[in-house]
Amino acid sequence: MAKQGQSDSGSETTGLETKALGGKGLEGLTTAANQAATSGPAGRKGLPPVHLWNPPFCGDLDMRIAPDGTWFYMGTPIGRPALVRLFSTILKREDGKHFLVTPVEKVGIRVDDAPFLAVEMQTQEDARGRLLRFRTNVDDWVDCEKGHGLRFEAAEDGGLTPYLHVRADLWAKVTRALYYDLVDMGEERMVDGQEMFGIESGGEFFAMADASQVRGAL
């Protein structure tokens, strides 16, 4: 894969990593991801510290994450969950674009909607009251609380699509079934002088929509 914005005098290490990322198919990608995962101190929850890495960009890769969470490489679905999980650990978002990142290089990938799906939800209680815990399609558990909140966007069918903040500007789209569960648990509260409908978790209230609009839709 050709580098962009770099001369041929780049380091030998960088050149080898480019070949690993783009020149050897899934085998090379897997090797690069494994090396990245063990290249430095583990971050939160054992994830590689991609937020500390700012390597040069070396082009886009023919990899796509579909709206249903399926990862594609060169148009073919990646059918191994462990491989998808591995790639997800070196995923980074910058300026609205998604990349797979190693300590020395990064390649762009395409994400149609959100890179993750929230596919399971548990309801617990702690000192703050109700706590919602979500499992993503790559088996990360995320507590819905301050710093890992819910946001709601208008859907094409006129409803709402919830998204959960997973980490570092990476989001998970909440499945439709879980969205209905959230609506069932919702309540009305005053937020900045406006009556809003939303959901409480981890001591925070996450507003879905204007309460009168929700009442009219139900």
Side-chain angles (χ1 to χ4, degrees):
M1 180 184 298
K3 295 181 183 299
Q4 294 184 7
Q6 285 191 301
S7 68
D8 293 336
S9 61
S11 70
E12 181 180 356
T13 301
T14 301
L16 290 173
E17 189 69 15
T18 302
K19 186 176 181 181
L21 283 171
K24 295 183 180 179
L26 283 181
E27 180 182 354
L29 286 168
T30 303
T31 299
N34 276 315
Q35 291 174 346
T38 58
S39 63
R44 189 178 66 85
K45 296 185 179 180
L47 295 169
V50 296
H51 61 290
L52 301 177
W53 299 341
N54 188 29
F57 175 66
C58 42
D60 290 323
L61 193 66
D62 188 4
M63 182 174 282
R64 177 175 73 94
I65 305 177
D68 65 357
T70 301
W71 288 56
F72 290 84
Y73 178 68
M74 299 184 70
T76 301
I78 301 175
R80 295 167 54 192
L83 200 54
V84 170
R85 161 69 184 172
L86 177 63
F87 293 154
S88 76
T89 65
I90 59 169
L91 188 63
K92 186 177 185 181
R93 188 181 184 193
E94 295 177 337
D95 299 324
K97 298 180 180 180
H98 293 83
F99 305 89
L100 297 182
V101 182
T102 73
V104 294
E105 290 182 328
K106 66 181 178 182
V107 292
I109 69 170
R110 178 176 147 202
V111 178
D112 291 348
D113 191 345
F116 305 120
L117 283 182
V119 297
E120 181 182 346
M121 180 175 68
Q122 294 181 351
T123 303
Q124 300 181 358
E125 294 287 333
D126 64 13
R128 299 168 295 181
R130 178 171 57 205
L131 175 67
L132 300 178
R133 304 191 72 231
F134 292 86
R135 181 177 65 85
T136 72
N137 60 315
V138 293
D139 286 331
D140 284 327
W141 281 95
V142 182
D143 292 348
C144 181
E145 57 190 356
K146 186 176 181 180
H148 296 281
L150 288 165
R151 63 178 173 86
F152 298 84
E153 294 189 359
E156 293 181 357
D157 61 4
L160 294 172
T161 300
Y163 294 86
L164 173 71
H165 181 219
V166 177
R167 62 179 181 270
D169 206 21
L170 297 176
W171 293 78
K173 181 169 67 175
V174 179
T175 62
R176 179 61 61 177
L178 295 184
Y179 166 63
Y180 291 138
D181 291 338
L182 291 174
V183 171
D184 288 341
M185 291 186 289
E187 58 184 284
E188 296 182 9
R189 289 190 184 182
M190 294 297 295
V191 178
D192 296 330
Q194 183 176 1
E195 197 169 14
M196 302 293 293
F197 183 86
I199 186 78
E200 181 184 2
S201 178
E204 300 288 323
F205 183 73
F206 303 102
M208 293 187 188
D210 182 89
S212 61
Q213 294 177 347
V214 174
R215 284 195 297 266
L218 297 177

